[in-house]
Amino acid sequence: MTLKISVIGTGYLGATHATCMSNLGFEVIGVDVDPAKIESLSGGTIPFYEPRLQELLQTELKSGRLSFSTDFNSISDCDVHFICVGTPQVADGLAADLTYVFSALEAIAPVIKDGSLVVGKSTVPVGTAARLRAKLLEVNPNTDLAWNPEFLREGFAVEDTLNPNRLVVGVTSSKSEEILREVYARNLAAQIPWVVADLPTSELVKVAANAFLATKISFINAMAEICEAAGGDVTVLAKAIGYDPRIGSRFLQAGIGFGGGCLPKDIRAFMARAEELGAEQALEFLREIDSINLRARSRMIDLVRRDLSEDLRGKKIAVLGAAFKPDSDDVRDSPALDIAVQIQAAGAIVSVHDPKAIPNARARFPALNFAESIEACVTDAQLVLHLTEWKVYREIDPLKLIGLVKSPIIIDGRNALDRDLWRSAGWNFRALGRSEN
Ligand code: UGA
């Protein structure tokens, strides 16, 4: 008989996971305490932007396998329960806020049936899974809890969920592993690597992976600082070192650094947890990774100041990009938006464009000016900043734009535009980490 699956928490991760599990052929119910989210998903609309997901959600709703509810009792006959709630940074420190994870467990523990398996997917500090498992077994000793970290990237959420590059399961019994093998049978048949670990290791795999990615980005941004000081070009440097397969060329895009709802908060929570464990020295370097990352934003603002005789007051600046990365409307800890807000606070007249993230950006920073088109954004600008590398920006014809601006100066904060093309169209082109700034 096919497994019946529940997904607790229908935010980014949960909505994607529920939809993809249904696509794999399971009967799935997504549960959330937020009635607005449930209403939207039940009606076939995802409350955020993610390529492919909306269409897939509609197909799965039509199939009759997928449904959503605010009622926790609706999951009582499910065999597997995925916990997909958020673990944001606490307001007054670096640690992760585990309120939602524990309240999700408390809500489901009394209603789930004997023999069922709870599977955590949220990113948590190491040791959380064991605590959750102990709590679960106190309420229902005939259940079990496993951990199965999620590695999906925003913008590729459907692809990463249906065809992950690895599956990691933290289990305490072979029975739990068997259940998870059944859930992921299609991936296993496709030879996707299957890593079985204990609970703490499975939790650590996730934060270690994000810490490594953050380190790679900050490493290349540190090299960008050196290139600027020494008259080098970080894009050529990145290309050259990337040919070494031990280094690899991905995640070596220098610029204004990493943001989003994961990398920044995950490295901070990792440091906080290491300190609790008395192992803070091991992660001391992550403090530097965080500083290099935030410094990339200040270096961008320094470049802006240099171009505008140090005084930003009354200067018209166009900002292309508000999302923390392309193909997403997520503005959480977005370097682009942070820079826009800082230059506006310094007195500049800022106009921001983004293909998808304006509603979220406006909700967060209503005092910023937003433009509905690239053309409207750059009209009369004394400086244009390229801060999120959307495809539409890479496809801009610089010749067409030059007639609209007051002075044709562009700073590429993502090292993604074609410098020669912009220069030959008459623009004064600068970028982070490249000589001739
Ligand atoms: C990240 C991880 O890549 C996923 O594997 C993980 O599952 C996810 O966090 C999570 O923990 O949920 P995501 O936040 O979607 O995924 O974004 P990334 O693609 O990792 O990009 C993060 C930031 O790094 C973006 O602001 C991006 O612009 C920046 N970045 C990325 C660079 O500045 N340079 C690069 O070379 C690559």
Side-chain angles (χ1 to χ4, degrees), residues 104-373:
L105 185 92
E106 277 154 25
I108 65 170
V111 301
I112 63 177
K113 69 179 182 187
D114 284 0
S116 62
L117 178 66
V118 176
V119 185
K121 283 194 94 64
S122 310
T123 302
V124 290
V126 59
T128 308
R131 283 170 61 205
L132 289 166
R133 183 168 181 273
K135 267 188 173 299
L136 174 68
L137 298 192
E138 259 173 41
V139 182
N140 188 341
N142 298 320
T143 56
D144 196 9
L145 182 137
W147 214 257
N148 170 219
E150 180 56 56
F151 305 104
L152 69 80
R153 298 159 297 167
E154 293 188 17
F156 300 90
V158 172
E159 173 59 23
D160 286 351
T161 307
L162 291 176
N163 300 302
N165 50 25
R166 81 284 208 192
L167 283 159
V168 178
V169 293
V171 288
T172 54
S173 72
S174 50
K175 184 176 168 234
S176 297
E177 189 194 337
E178 278 321 305
I179 297 175
L180 284 163
R181 278 184 175 275
E182 207 176 323
V183 171
Y184 293 115
R186 204 157 95 184
N187 296 137
L188 286 169
Q191 308 291 321
I192 285 170
W194 177 256
V195 182
V196 181
D198 51 31
L199 290 178
T201 309
S202 66
E203 293 167 301
L204 282 170
V205 169
K206 171 61 192 254
V207 279
N210 276 1
F212 191 85
L213 294 172
T215 302
K216 225 177 159 187
I217 300 168
S218 277
F219 175 82
I220 203 63
N221 283 333
M223 293 306 110
E225 289 185 40
I226 301 292
C227 282
E228 280 167 18
D233 185 328
V234 75
T235 62
V236 178
L237 182 142
K239 191 166 140 190
I241 63 171
Y243 283 128
D244 182 335
R246 292 170 305 174
I247 296 173
S249 59
R250 299 180 70 184
F251 269 65
L252 282 186
Q253 189 87 14
I256 57 173
F258 58 81
C262 302
L263 261 45
K265 72 129 173 120
D266 286 357
I267 60 167
R268 292 170 195 153
F270 200 9
M271 282 186 274
R273 184 63 184 134
E275 197 171 335
E276 285 170 8
L277 293 167
E280 63 270 27
Q281 245 187 326
L283 297 188
E284 205 41 64
F285 73 98
L286 285 180
R287 212 169 291 282
E288 205 48 53
I289 297 305
D290 205 2
S291 313
I292 295 168
N293 190 50
L294 295 176
R295 204 153 66 223
R297 303 177 191 184
S298 328
R299 285 169 40 239
M300 183 72 189
I301 295 168
D302 290 346
L303 271 187
V304 172
R305 285 188 180 283
R306 225 172 70 192
D307 264 323
L308 296 171
S309 350
E310 297 299 327
D311 188 0
L312 303 189
R313 282 173 302 175
K315 307 277 169 62
K316 193 161 187 295
I317 301 177
V319 170
L320 298 179
F324 85 104
K325 70 173 197 181
D327 293 318
S328 167
D329 66 356
D330 195 344
V331 297
R332 286 176 295 168
D333 203 347
S334 163
L337 207 49
D338 188 13
I339 289 167
V341 167
Q342 287 196 49
I343 55 179
Q344 173 157 294
I349 303 163
V350 181
S351 171
V352 181
H353 176 266
D354 191 282
K356 296 283 177 199
I358 292 179
N360 285 342
R362 186 179 276 130
R364 220 163 258 235
F365 298 107
L368 275 175
N369 303 310
F370 294 96
E372 292 303 323
S373 69

Side-chain angles (χ1 to χ4, degrees), residues 7-11 30-35 37-38 41 69-72 85:
V7 174
I8 316 302
T10 57
V31 179
D32 203 292
V33 290
D34 180 350
K37 246 181 222 165
I38 293 302
L41 291 166
S69 171
T70 51
D71 179 7
F72 281 89
V85 295

